[in-house]
Amino acid sequence: EDILFRFSREVEREFGVAEAMSAWYRHVVEAVTTRYNAVATGPPPSSPHCLDSSDFRFLRRFCEHFVISYMDKAANSFVFCCKKHYVSRMREELAPSRRTYEALHMSKDEALDALQADISRFNFPCPEKLAILAMIFKFHKVPSADRVLSCEAGLATAPLSIWLARGMMALMLRANALWAAEYARCDMVVSSSWILNSSDDVCHLIRRFNRSLTPRARERHILNLVTFDFKNMYTNIELGDLKTRMAAFFSEAFHNDPALQLKITSREEVTWVLDHTEGPHYHGPQDRRTIDYVVFSVGNMTEWFSYLIDHQYVQFGDRLFRQVYGIPMGTNCAVFVANLYLFTYELEFIRHLADT
């Protein structure tokens, strides 16, 4: 329901069809609720599954030699990977020589107890799982490649990461304002920084560039657009530098005012406030309560972010590791962390140009 709501709000903002989207939203929620209730209250199926014992025997033998994994950019597809190759690649990633992970000499239960105690202190919910390290395959690349990521569904730190992602997304408006202020010092007007929210923005920029070309330039094909990508950026960020730069950005985004707060609701409504009780605020009965809104300050955002970065635990088999270099691909706020981290370098460079 929350995904449907966000989608309908985006369409409303883009096309100005609030009444039609509200009716569509109510219709879809009602249809899905009706279908769910029919399934939930209907007669039980005659069999819990459609496979017989021979099918299960085959699958057990199959899984002795192969791993079933994800295919990137193809959510409905999966990959059968030779288990020997899969384990070999994972061992390469976890090797001490890579400097990315360190082995922890504690049990899964000990790690969970420590995480739950700390996250409960922040007043966030704490599911009883640790991230699992997995390898996905990128067959859309030439040549094809694989990537190791942290699978965080139900992870102990996932609620904290989700809300940090929402907080950083809200602070993008402040990032754009800081960017525009530096250009204004040079008598230049810009509306935002280079950070784009989606691939739709890329299409908009290309159309704008095409419209700006003169007929002569179009004939001569003067403008060439080239795109580049970081191959291994996430796992090559030095964590000390990351925490220092993000703390400085948070301070600037909150106008260097410890009393200023950012309130974000579960429906991603954002307001700046003062004198609110910080942290998550819940609604609903105790056994099914959910976060209604979170109040961020520069203090708690910096503390929560540093804690998340310092406690990136992952499992592989029966071993437990902590990521000590870079940020995990797969954590909810990773994209915003990477964007804002690079933004701090760009802003520093623009300020240097403005000063000189």
Side-chain angles (χ1 to χ4, degrees):
E1 186 175 346
D2 187 51
I3 294 173
L4 286 173
F5 178 82
R6 292 203 302 271
F7 172 73
S8 63
R9 288 289 298 272
E10 289 175 4
V11 175
E12 287 175 19
R13 286 194 294 265
E14 182 72 17
F15 300 103
V17 288
E19 184 175 348
M21 288 309 299
S22 295
W24 174 85
Y25 171 79
R26 289 193 300 270
H27 172 75
V28 172
V29 170
E30 181 181 351
V32 172
T33 302
T34 300
R35 177 60 180 156
Y36 172 82
N37 290 336
V39 173
T41 59
S46 58
S47 173
H49 50 74
C50 60
L51 303 178
D52 59 27
S53 57
S54 63
D55 294 323
F56 282 106
R57 285 196 298 271
F58 170 79
L59 288 173
R60 278 194 291 270
R61 290 196 303 271
F62 184 85
C63 290
E64 291 175 1
H65 303 285
F66 293 91
V67 173
I68 303 174
S69 189
Y70 304 100
M71 186 187 302
D72 193 29
K73 303 292 189 296
N76 294 326
S77 302
F78 50 88
V79 177
F80 297 117
C81 178
C82 169
K83 183 177 285 190
K84 184 177 180 180
H85 171 74
Y86 188 94
V87 172
S88 174
R89 281 287 295 112
M90 296 297 282
R91 283 178 173 170
E92 288 177 13
E93 291 292 326
L94 294 168
S97 59
R98 294 293 292 267
R99 301 186 307 147
T100 306
Y101 300 94
E102 68 173 8
L104 296 180
H105 303 290
M106 66 170 69
S107 68
K108 170 186 171 183
D109 291 338
E110 289 172 334
L112 273 173
D113 288 344
L115 286 173
Q116 288 171 346
D118 289 335
I119 294 174
S120 296
R121 177 168 55 86
F122 300 150
N123 202 26
F124 280 97
C126 187
E128 298 182 357
K129 289 184 180 180
L130 293 175
I132 296 174
L133 209 61
M135 187 165 65
I136 66 169
F137 295 86
K138 293 177 169 283
F139 291 141
H140 62 285
K141 298 281 188 180
V142 179
S144 59
D146 56 58
R147 291 287 184 274
V148 172
L149 57 77
S150 173
C151 299
E152 297 200 347
L155 171 65
T157 55
L160 179 60
S161 184
I162 289 169
W163 281 96
L164 278 172
R166 291 173 176 174
M168 293 179 197
M169 183 166 60
L171 290 182
M172 279 308 307
L173 291 176
R174 284 289 301 135
N176 289 334
L178 292 170
W179 185 266
E182 295 305 318
Y183 274 82
R185 290 171 57 196
C186 305
D187 297 323
M188 298 174 65
V189 178
V190 296
S191 58
S192 65
S193 70
W194 51 265
I195 299 177
L196 303 178
N197 292 325
S198 71
S199 56
D200 292 338
D201 295 332
V202 177
C203 297
H204 170 74
L205 282 176
I206 291 174
R207 286 194 293 267
R208 194 176 75 183
F209 283 138
N210 288 338
R211 287 196 300 268
S212 70
L213 289 175
T214 64
R216 180 178 174 80
R218 287 196 186 97
E219 291 174 3
R220 298 176 60 188
H221 303 290
I222 290 177
L223 181 64
N224 293 312
L225 297 180
V226 182
T227 63
F228 297 91
D229 189 12
F230 290 99
K231 185 178 181 181
N232 292 304
M233 187 189 77
Y234 281 28
T235 53
N236 284 284
I237 296 176
E238 201 280 313
L239 297 186
D241 184 55
L242 172 65
K243 290 191 290 185
T244 299
R245 285 184 167 275
M246 292 300 288
F249 170 75
F250 292 152
S251 183
E252 271 201 278
F254 280 85
H255 300 272
N256 299 304
D257 184 353
L260 187 61
Q261 299 167 322
L262 184 65
K263 176 183 175 182
I264 304 178
T265 71
S266 58
R267 294 190 169 183
E268 300 182 5
E269 298 163 334
V270 179
T271 51
W272 290 94
V273 296
L274 292 168
D275 301 323
H276 276 53
T277 303
E278 294 183 8
H281 295 254
Y282 291 82
H283 72 283
Q286 184 67 26
D287 60 336
R288 290 177 300 164
R289 67 178 192 160
T290 57
I291 295 179
D292 188 23
Y293 64 91
V294 173
V295 177
F296 292 93
S297 68
V298 62
N300 66 23
M301 182 170 268
T302 302
E303 180 185 10
W304 295 343
F305 178 75
S306 293
Y307 181 86
L308 184 69
I309 293 301
D310 289 336
H311 294 79
Q312 302 175 104
Y313 297 162
V314 294
Q315 296 178 86
F316 181 64
D318 58 356
R319 300 283 304 279
L320 189 63
F321 300 85
R322 182 170 73 93
Q323 188 164 347
V324 294
Y325 208 93
I327 57 176
M329 290 186 288
T331 192
N332 297 86
C333 64
V335 172
F336 301 101
V337 173
N339 278 343
L340 289 173
Y341 176 63
L342 295 181
F343 172 82
T344 64
Y345 278 98
E346 292 279 353
L347 185 63
E348 185 180 272
F349 176 70
I350 295 298
R351 283 174 171 165
H352 173 72
L353 291 181
D355 289 339
T356 56

